[in-house]
Structures are given as C-alpha cells and as structure tokens.
C-alpha cells in the first residue's frame, strides 16, 4: 500500500497548491474591498510585447485606496497598457484607477479559452490602461531578476545592432524566446507550415546549444575533464533557461538534459521514458498548473512520440547513403513526434499542416545554424571581424528560413482546417496510441483491431470536416463592434461596423471561426455604406441605421440593436442585442455571453 499512500499524499499536495493559486489567502479581501473607480497600487512582475502598441503586464495589486482609507491585499492581475514613451519595466510600482474586470470568454466559435489560460496562471482580473493613465513609483526588482532581464536586454541589443525587420524578429524568437517583434503574418505562416515549434525555445534548441557548448569546451580538454566540461555546459544551459524566459518546454528540456548528464556522471543506466516522466513529475510538483500549459503538453507529447516510435519508423526505409540517411532519420523524428502531438494539435488549433515533413527537412539545418551562429555572435562580440562574418551567415540563414516558410505556406492546400475534437475523443485517441505502442509486438488480430479503430476515427473526422466545409449559417459575434458573417457552403461573407483600419481585430476573430468552418472570406465594412449582394444563390441586403443594423437574407430579417429601441414601427424580424444592452425583454437574443448563430439552408 506504500504507492497508494504516496499517490494520495502528492494528490493532496497538488490540490493544496491549486486551491492557493485559484483562491489565494487575500482573495476575499480583494473581492470585498475593491470596487470600480477605486485606485490601487500595482507591482509588475513580467512585461511582454514592449515593442507593440499594447504591452502585456502581469503583477500583483497590494493596496486598494478608498478616499482616505486603504486596504491591503495580494491579488495577481493582468494589465494591457498602451505603449507610452515611459516604458513600464518589471519591478515598477504603478498607481492606477483603470477598472479591473473579471476575465471571461466571449463565446465566439473557435476562440481561445482565455479564462482557463489566465486562471492557470492564478489571474482572474484584467484592466486596459491607456497612455498616461498611471503614475509610476519606484522599482522593487530583486537583484537576481534584474540581472536576468539586463542580460536578456544586452543580448537582444547585440542582435538589434546587426539585424532588422523580420530577420531580427526571428533571431530573437529562435535564440532568446522573445516573439514580440514577430508580425502576425509571419507567425501565421509558421503555424500553417507546421514550423510553430521552431519559434518556441524547446528541447531542439537546448539540445543544439548543449552540443555547441560541448564542442567548444573540447578545445579546453587539457584544462578541463569531460565531467567538468559537462557541468560547465549545464550551468550555462540553466543560465540560458532563465534568460530565455523559463517557458514550460525549456524547463522540461533543461531538466531532462540535466538528469541525463547526472546519470552519465554517476554511471547509471539511462531510460529516456523514465527520465521524461520523472521530469514531468518534478515540474508538476513545483507547479501543478503546468498541466494546462499547451507548450508543456505538446513538448511532452512530442518527446514521448520520439521515444516510442522513432526507431520503428526509422526502420521502414534503409538508406545506404550516409547523408541521405541523416535526412531520413530527421524525417523519422518528425513523423514520430507528429504521431503523439496530432490529437493535441487538432484539439487546440483545429487544423493540420499538410507539408510538415517538407518543412522539417528544410529547417533541419537552418535552425541549428542560426542557433550556432547566434552563440558565436554573443560569445565573440568583442572580435569585430569574426562577428561580421557570423552576422552575414546568420542573416542569410534567417532570410532562407523565412522565405522557405513563406513558400510552404503559399503552396496549395498547405493547411487543412475544420477539425473539432471533443475532450473525451482526445482521451480515446491517446489510449489507442498507447495501446499501439504497448501491443506493437503482439499478434496480427490485435494489430488489425487497433488499425481498424484508427481508420474508423479518421473516416469519421474526414466526413465531419467535409460537412463543416459545406455548412451554411449566419453568425452574429459577441464583439464591441457589430460584426456578423454569412457562411454559404465554401464562402464566408463578413460584415463589420468599423472602418477598414480596424480590420485586423475582426480578421483575428473570423480566422478563429474559419479554423472550425473552412471557407474563403470576403470582408465588407458597414462604416460608410449599405450593401446588397445577389450572386451564387445569395440574396442579401444590409442596412445600417442609427439604432440598428438590419440584415435581409433569404426572406428573413435580422435586427442587430445597438441601443434599446422603443419604436413600434420596426419590421418584424429576429432581434439580436449588442453586448452592452442590458435588456429584460424575453424576446430576441443577447450577445452578452456568446455568439448567436442560425443554420440556413
């Protein structure tokens, strides 16, 4: 019963950590004392997207002020601060009155679960802060945190002096894990081509950097022993982990390599899968909320796939040529990782990159080259001639990587979208994958049953995707600007009550919809004109009035109310009220908590 007792102890420990994160000690004080309009003191802990219009800042509210009274609390919150000349830094103390609202999802199709994401980080409230809407006090950053941030800034400045544009953005993302400079189109291209994992500092990067460090330290073999060189390399890797932001995938990789190195130093047998699960156990013991981190899930699934399926897949084809064999082995690694990450990819992103194998082959060499040259630039920045050579080669490698990803993204059918997997089906898929591994050497009949189950599931989702592609409906979004779309089979007509300059925000929301219901999108701004479309079996008229937007479609009328209308002369039709309308009417539909959708024939 020892293992049962141990399991219960750790389960209770994890439960206690979860309770403290979701329901902190001072939460009651915050909920009781804070009201919108109160001023509060906020201390920043992390600052992201410094180069963009809105900075994402997380930290703690530690005092609330009501007139001459003040109340202590310790509530972790998130702020979106509009960029100002006076940039907010980690450790800054800010005095604000911007209202803190509970984070909630809008309920639009395909949207990211922001509420769960922030809750997993212990954050339940968020505020939007405009330019100059805060007073900055002192800075209370610890020496260690300041050293980490200064080191990261120093390395980022070295890259910024020698690179620019999206080449600089890609270099910072690959080498330092800083993705704030990447444009939306670049990030989208990496996702569609199956190269998103390259943008996240992960096991691939840590492994490459470790090999580079060991290679460089070999030159000091007369001074350092092999064990000493390994210890120094691991120390540098851990410093790099802190500087790059300590993401879940980096922590997993660094910890795994550390356990591997310690096993080798002690002369112990090394079991990769045991190492992987031990790493997961330790990291989840420190922070159980990592289990909700998508990067953590994908990272572990990829490594498990490589450990389980790489060798069987690599044996499918024998390649006599040494260099071509290396290419095939790298491809086999990509296939193995894809086996165990595919269910998660479809579950979270609802799409599959069809050319992921080609992408992995093309980026196999350039990723290692970029990391190696980046290390050379950092270590030998004082040697100008060597730095110039390294920068030229680095710039070429970055340019090649970007153009290659854009090329793959531009190929016909680069990405297949329209997949929606439920939570229970996700569990079923992983049970089948586990069974395939465990019973890989069993009799033919069992393999046939597992293969049949896989084929049935694939057929089901192919048919389901076809139905989604040909699905027709009208959808009114829960958004601060009146936005709706009409999906008529494979075409989507999106109308939005905003100038074309605001199109990017609308596109982000509609692209999430399209991942579930694929189709070609056309956008129409209702800011200055009405619309009438008669084509491809579509009979549509959109009129923008002062208090409402009227949509006449397929002999039906929909009124999108921007304010509560008392007029009795409105045409009869379906009423949809914008989120800010607080109506007690029983008729009509509210957009306050979710989108409103109607299936059409």
């Amino acid at each position: 019963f020892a293992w049962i007792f141990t399991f219960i102890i750790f389960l209770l420990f994890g439960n206690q950590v979860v309770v403290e994160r979701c329901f902190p000690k001072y939460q009651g004080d915050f909920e009781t004392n804070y009201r919108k309009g109160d001023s509060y003191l906020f201390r920043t802990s992390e600052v992201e997207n410094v180069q963009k219009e809105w900075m994402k800042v997380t930290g703690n509210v530690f005092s609330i002020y009501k007139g001459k009274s003040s109340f202590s609390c310790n509530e972790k919150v998130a702020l979106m601060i509009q960029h100002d000349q006076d940039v907010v830094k980690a450790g800054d103390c800010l005095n604000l009155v911007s209202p803190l609202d509970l984070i909630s999802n809008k309920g639009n199709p395909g949207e990211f679960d922001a509420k769960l994401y922030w809750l997993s980080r212990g954050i339940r409230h968020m505020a939007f802060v405009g330019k100059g809407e805060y007073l900055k006090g002192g800075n209370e950053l610890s020496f260690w945190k300041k050293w980490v941030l200064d080191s990261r800034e120093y390395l980022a400045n070295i890259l910024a002096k020698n690179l620019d544009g999206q080449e600089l953005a890609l270099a910072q993302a690959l080498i330092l894990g800083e993705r704030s400079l990447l444009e939306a189109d670049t990030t989208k291209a990496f996702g569609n081509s199956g190269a998103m994992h390259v943008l996240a500092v992960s096991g691939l990067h840590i492994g490459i950097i470790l090999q580079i460090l060991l290679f460089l330290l070999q030159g000091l073999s007369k001074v350092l022993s092999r064990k000493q060189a390994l210890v120094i390399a691991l120390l540098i890797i851990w410093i790099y982990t802190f500087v790059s932001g300590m993401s879940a995938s980096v922590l997993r990789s660094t910890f795994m390599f550390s356990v591997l190195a310690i096993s080798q130093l002690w002369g112990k047998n090394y079991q990769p899968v045991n190492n992987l699960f031990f790493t997961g156990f330790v990291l989840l013991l420190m922070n159980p909320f990592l289990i909700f981190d998508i990067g953590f899930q994908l990272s572990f699934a990829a490594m498990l796939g490589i450990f389980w399926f790489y060798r069987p897949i690599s044996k499918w084809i024998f390649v006599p040529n040494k260099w071509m064999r290396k290419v095939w082995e790298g491809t086999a690694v990509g296939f193995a990782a894809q086996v165990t990450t595919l269910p998660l990819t479809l579950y979270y992103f609802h799409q599959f990159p069809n050319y992921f194998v080609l992408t992995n082959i093309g980026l196999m060499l350039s990723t290692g080259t970029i990391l190696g040259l980046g290390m050379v630039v950092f270590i030998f920045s004082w040697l100008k001639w060597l730095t110039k050579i390294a920068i030229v080669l680095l710039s070429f490698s970055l340019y090649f990587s970007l153009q290659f990803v854009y090329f793959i993204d531009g190929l016909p059918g680069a990405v297949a979208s329209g997949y929606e997997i439920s939570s229970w089906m996700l569990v079923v898929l992983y049970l089948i994958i586990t069974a395939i591994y465990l019973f890989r050497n069993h009799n033919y009949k069992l393999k046939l049953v597992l293969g049949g189950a896989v084929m049935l599931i694939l057929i089901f989702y192919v048919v389901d995707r076809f139905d989604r592609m040909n699905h027709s409906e009208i959808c009114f979004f829960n958004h601060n600007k009146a936005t709706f779309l009409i999906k008529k089979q494979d075409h989507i007509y999106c109308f939005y009550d905003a100038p074309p300059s605001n199109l990017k925000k609308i596109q982000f929301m509609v692209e999430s919809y399209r991942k579930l219901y694929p189709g070609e999108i056309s956008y129409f701004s209702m800011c200055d004109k009405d619309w009438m479309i008669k084509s491809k079996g579509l009979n549509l008229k959109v009129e923008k009035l002062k208090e409402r937007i009227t949509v006449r479609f397929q002999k039906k009328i929909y009124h999108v109310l921007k304010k509560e209308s008392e007029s009795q002369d409105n045409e009869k039709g379906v009423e949809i009220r914008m989120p800010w309308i607080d109506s007690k009417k029983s008729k009509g539909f509210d957009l306050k908590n979710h989108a409103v959708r109607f299936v059409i024939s």
Side-chain angles (χ1 to χ4, degrees):
F1 295 98
W3 66 272
I4 298 178
F5 178 75
T6 304
F7 173 77
I8 293 174
I9 291 297
F10 282 112
L11 187 65
L12 292 174
F13 178 81
N15 179 71
Q16 184 62 31
V17 175
V18 170
V19 169
E20 288 182 1
R21 177 72 69 89
C22 291
F23 308 100
K25 180 179 179 182
Y26 296 99
Q27 178 178 306
D29 295 337
F30 181 82
E31 296 288 354
T32 302
N33 296 315
Y34 177 74
R35 295 291 181 272
K36 290 184 179 180
D38 295 342
S39 64
Y40 52 92
L41 284 179
F42 171 85
R43 183 184 297 111
T44 64
S45 57
E46 294 182 19
V47 180
E48 301 177 35
N49 301 336
V50 177
Q51 303 296 330
K52 295 186 177 181
E53 181 183 359
W54 291 87
M55 294 180 289
K56 183 165 68 177
V57 180
T58 57
N60 292 73
V61 174
F62 56 91
S63 290
I64 300 171
Y65 294 94
K66 292 177 178 289
K68 297 181 180 180
S69 303
S70 64
F71 303 89
S72 298
C73 62
N74 187 21
E75 180 76 3
K76 191 174 182 181
V77 302
L79 304 179
M80 298 298 294
I81 302 180
Q82 195 170 17
H83 199 279
D84 202 348
Q85 292 181 347
D86 188 14
V87 178
V88 175
K89 297 181 179 180
D92 283 348
C93 292
L94 309 178
N95 193 325
L96 308 102
V97 293
S98 302
L100 288 161
D101 295 307
L102 279 170
I103 299 172
S104 61
N105 296 324
K106 292 190 173 183
N108 292 319
E111 76 172 356
F112 176 69
D113 192 347
K115 183 176 180 180
L116 178 61
Y117 168 77
W118 286 111
L119 186 61
S120 68
R121 301 179 67 180
I123 295 174
R124 300 177 307 113
H125 293 84
M126 177 180 286
F128 287 84
V129 184
K131 290 183 179 179
E133 293 183 358
Y134 60 86
L135 293 175
K136 187 185 290 188
N139 187 286
E140 300 180 6
L141 197 64
S142 66
F143 172 80
W144 168 247
K145 184 74 172 179
K146 187 175 185 304
W147 180 86
V148 169
L149 293 175
D150 288 346
S151 299
R152 189 172 190 175
E153 186 177 359
Y154 171 76
L155 297 177
N157 287 336
I158 292 177
L159 295 175
K161 288 179 182 177
N162 298 284
L163 300 168
D164 56 17
Q166 287 305 284
E167 292 179 12
L168 171 62
L170 182 58
Q172 288 199 1
L174 283 171
I175 302 171
L176 297 177
E178 175 56 58
R179 296 167 55 178
S180 62
L181 294 181
L182 286 170
E183 295 177 355
D185 291 341
T186 302
T187 305
K188 181 182 175 182
F190 271 84
N192 291 345
S193 60
M196 186 61 77
H197 64 282
V198 174
L199 295 180
V201 178
S202 61
L204 171 68
H205 303 71
I206 298 297
I208 292 173
I209 293 172
L210 185 60
Q211 292 301 317
I212 292 171
L213 290 172
L214 291 175
F215 174 77
L216 293 174
L217 290 171
Q218 282 180 358
L220 302 174
S221 57
K222 294 182 179 179
V223 181
L224 298 174
S225 66
R226 180 174 174 275
K227 290 183 178 181
Q228 290 172 331
L230 191 58
V231 170
I232 293 173
L234 286 176
L235 180 61
I236 296 174
I237 287 294
W238 274 105
I239 293 173
Y240 174 77
T241 299
F242 284 108
V243 172
S244 64
M246 293 184 65
S247 68
S249 56
V250 178
L251 275 174
R252 190 269 306 159
S253 306
T254 305
F255 192 89
M256 276 191 64
F257 281 117
S258 300
V259 173
L260 169 60
I262 293 171
S263 299
Q264 291 178 341
L265 289 175
W266 286 353
K268 302 293 182 181
N269 292 328
Y270 171 66
Q271 294 294 331
V273 175
N274 290 345
N275 188 354
L276 179 67
F277 283 107
F278 176 70
T279 301
F281 170 76
V282 172
L283 293 181
L284 290 175
L285 193 64
M286 294 188 295
N287 182 10
F289 280 88
L290 278 179
I291 197 69
F292 298 107
D293 188 281
I294 298 176
F296 180 85
Q297 296 172 12
L298 289 172
S299 177
F300 264 80
M303 292 304 299
L304 190 62
I306 292 170
F307 293 153
W308 277 1
F309 299 111
Y310 164 67
R311 291 190 181 278
I313 293 175
S314 64
K315 292 178 181 177
W316 287 354
I317 302 175
F318 174 74
V319 182
N321 182 273
K322 177 182 177 181
W323 298 108
M324 291 303 296
R325 191 187 311 127
K326 292 291 183 183
V327 173
W328 165 241
E329 288 174 353
T331 305
V333 170
F335 272 122
Q338 200 67 234
V339 169
T340 45
T341 56
L342 178 59
L344 282 172
T345 301
L346 298 181
Y347 178 75
Y348 285 115
F349 307 115
H350 313 294
Q351 61 183 25
F352 178 74
N354 290 320
Y355 303 121
F356 75 91
V357 175
L358 183 60
T359 304
N360 286 334
I361 293 174
L363 296 181
M364 192 185 303
L365 293 176
S366 64
T367 302
T369 303
I370 290 169
L371 285 170
L373 291 171
M375 293 298 107
V376 170
V377 170
F378 291 154
I379 296 171
F380 299 102
S381 59
W382 51 278
L383 285 175
K384 292 185 178 180
W385 64 271
L386 182 58
T387 302
K388 287 182 179 180
I389 295 174
I391 286 295
V392 170
L393 296 174
L394 177 60
S395 180
F396 174 79
S397 300
L398 292 165
Y399 177 80
F400 167 80
S401 298
L402 285 169
Q403 296 306 313
F404 182 76
V405 167
Y406 292 146
F407 167 74
I408 297 295
D409 182 38
L411 291 175
V415 61
S417 55
Y419 299 98
E420 185 173 26
I421 295 180
S422 61
S423 301
W424 69 268
M425 182 54 74
L426 183 68
V427 174
V428 169
L429 287 172
Y430 275 109
L431 287 175
I432 292 175
I433 290 172
T434 303
I436 290 173
Y437 170 73
L438 293 176
F439 303 121
R440 64 193 182 281
N441 296 323
H442 281 61
N443 59 52
Y444 175 77
K445 290 183 180 179
L446 185 57
K447 292 181 180 179
L448 191 64
V449 170
L450 291 173
V454 172
M455 288 302 299
L456 286 174
I457 291 173
L458 288 176
I459 291 171
F460 171 81
Y461 280 108
V462 168
V463 173
D464 181 66
R465 177 174 180 264
F466 179 79
D467 289 341
R468 290 174 178 276
M469 292 174 67
N470 292 279
H471 178 73
S472 296
E473 71 172 5
I474 180 169
C475 176
F476 297 89
F477 288 96
N478 177 10
H479 191 58
N480 58 359
K481 300 291 184 181
T483 306
F484 71 93
L485 62 79
I486 294 172
K487 185 179 188 301
K488 188 68 174 175
Q489 295 181 342
D490 62 345
H491 203 102
I492 299 172
Y493 304 86
C494 177
F495 297 84
Y496 59 101
D497 187 19
S501 58
N502 290 2
L503 180 58
K504 281 192 175 182
K505 294 180 180 179
I506 305 297
Q507 283 178 325
F508 181 80
M509 182 172 60
V510 177
E511 285 292 341
S512 297
Y513 173 92
R514 186 167 72 162
K515 288 180 181 179
L516 283 176
Y517 300 94
E520 183 181 348
I521 305 177
S522 300
Y523 291 95
F524 304 88
S525 172
M526 297 182 290
C527 189
D528 298 318
K529 61 184 293 187
D530 299 335
W531 291 93
M532 181 179 291
I533 301 176
K534 289 186 177 182
S535 65
K536 298 181 181 180
L538 191 70
N539 188 359
L540 171 68
K541 185 177 181 181
V542 180
E543 294 178 284
K544 180 183 176 183
L545 304 174
K546 186 176 181 180
E547 295 183 349
R548 69 179 188 274
I549 294 171
T550 298
V551 182
R552 293 180 175 85
F553 176 65
Q554 309 293 71
K555 298 181 180 180
K556 291 187 178 181
I557 300 175
Y558 305 89
H559 298 293
V560 182
L561 303 182
K562 293 185 284 186
K563 60 174 63 175
E564 193 67 80
S565 177
E566 301 295 337
S567 176
Q568 301 296 321
D569 58 356
N570 289 345
E571 297 177 85
K572 288 186 177 180
V574 180
E575 289 188 352
I576 296 105
R577 293 181 283 270
M578 290 298 288
W580 54 80
I581 297 178
D582 188 13
S583 176
K584 296 181 180 179
K585 289 185 177 181
S586 58
K587 293 182 179 180
F589 300 87
D590 291 317
L591 291 172
K592 190 169 294 185
N593 299 313
H594 54 77
V596 175
R597 305 161 68 182
F598 303 96
V599 177
I600 58 177
S601 57

